[in-house]
Amino acid sequence: MGVINPLVSAARIARFTAVMYKPHYLLYGVLWVLALEGTASLVTQPDSAWRPTGATVVRIVVVAFVLLYLRMVDEQKDLEYDRVHNPDRPLVTGAVSAVELRVAMGLIAIGAIAASLALSVGSAVMIAVAMAYGLVLWGLERLFATVRTNILVNLVVTYPVQLLVTGYIVVSAIDTGEVRAHWQAAAVAGVFAGAFLQFEFARKTSREHRPDELLYSNALGARGSVAASLLCAVAAVLCDLALVRPWDYSSPSSLIAWLPISLLLIPAFGALKFLRGNRADYPALPAVVFILALYLALIGQALTLP
């Protein structure tokens, strides 16, 4: 094996990041941290105004890099699938090597844990567990065919990594004082689980049955998969309403408290467009817009309601 040139490898990792870690992923990570921390603060200490702090910025940076770390894990664990269905992926084409990805993952892990440790021990433990679970998923998919081939089993096994990152944000914010340790802080995870899962179902839905692809519509049917996506969006909004309690606010504050319910028109439009149209795949844009709009609404609630 030849000697690895660090500069060449760094350039290859940079190109991988540019291709596989699009700007909207970064935007999602930033809004996720702000919306989650702000909502948890709002529902656990409603009499205190929430504002992002230096600790919030650290969490944003950590989550942004951990999302890249998880993207690198996915690139390697999905290699055989991508060789058939996504032959242009960087690892498939040789634009980056597995060794280079693993070195980058190690550096990200060290940096994320060190930065989180500067916030609190609990922060460091939670982010380490989240990254470790990403590796566990890789092992589970290698060991068990059902995890690889049954998309519903795969969802049950893989989704907890999102919950662990959510747990990192909440635990870290509690440790640094932006959030109080009440049950509502944990319940906020329901909002973000629903928002993410509505996108997850939407992006893997087709009116065509493709048994060689991992699609929720293969298991649930096209209408069943669309219904699952819509139900997750509704669950996210109802969870937010139950925690924020917009009926406790007077106008004009109550308007922003009720805003999330109007955002359900976005996934409803996407579902209607798909069911009444003839395109094969579910339109992903409304699902993406719903998540981003909901997170912006949640940030607005946290900044203005107290």
Side-chain angles (χ1 to χ4, degrees), residues 107-290:
L107 294 174
I108 290 173
I110 292 169
I113 293 171
S116 298
L117 188 59
L119 299 178
S120 71
V121 173
S123 300
V125 170
M126 286 298 299
I127 204 62
V129 170
M131 290 187 290
Y133 192 76
L135 298 179
V136 169
L137 293 178
W138 188 359
L140 290 174
E141 290 196 13
R142 280 178 172 268
L143 290 172
F144 302 104
T146 302
V147 177
R148 293 194 305 272
T149 60
N150 187 312
I151 193 165
L152 296 179
V153 173
N154 185 269
L155 178 63
V156 171
V157 173
T158 59
Y159 181 68
V161 74
Q162 290 276 338
L163 289 179
L164 288 171
V165 177
T166 291
Y168 160 73
I169 298 167
V170 173
V171 168
S172 181
I174 290 173
D175 288 346
T176 55
E178 288 83 6
V179 175
R180 289 180 185 169
H182 293 308
W183 68 265
Q184 291 96 331
V188 166
V191 179
F192 295 83
F196 174 81
L197 289 173
Q198 71 84 31
F199 168 72
E200 174 67 9
F201 280 104
R203 77 187 183 96
K204 294 182 179 180
T205 294
S206 173
R207 67 176 72 254
E208 298 175 352
H209 185 72
R210 302 172 188 163
D212 59 331
E213 294 186 39
L214 288 175
L215 300 174
Y216 294 106
S217 51
N218 287 344
L220 303 174
R223 290 182 178 273
S225 191
V226 170
S229 179
L230 290 176
L231 286 173
C232 288
V234 171
V237 170
L238 291 181
C239 188
D240 175 66
L241 296 180
L243 291 169
V244 174
R245 300 174 61 86
W247 48 87
D248 288 342
Y249 295 92
S250 57
S251 296
S253 297
S254 62
L255 296 178
I256 193 167
W258 285 107
L259 178 60
I261 200 167
S262 67
L263 298 180
L264 289 174
L265 292 173
I266 299 172
F269 168 78
L272 191 63
K273 182 178 180 181
F274 174 71
L275 294 174
R276 289 189 172 180
N278 55 14
R279 61 179 294 172
D281 295 327
Y282 192 94
L285 183 60
V288 173
V289 171
F290 173 73

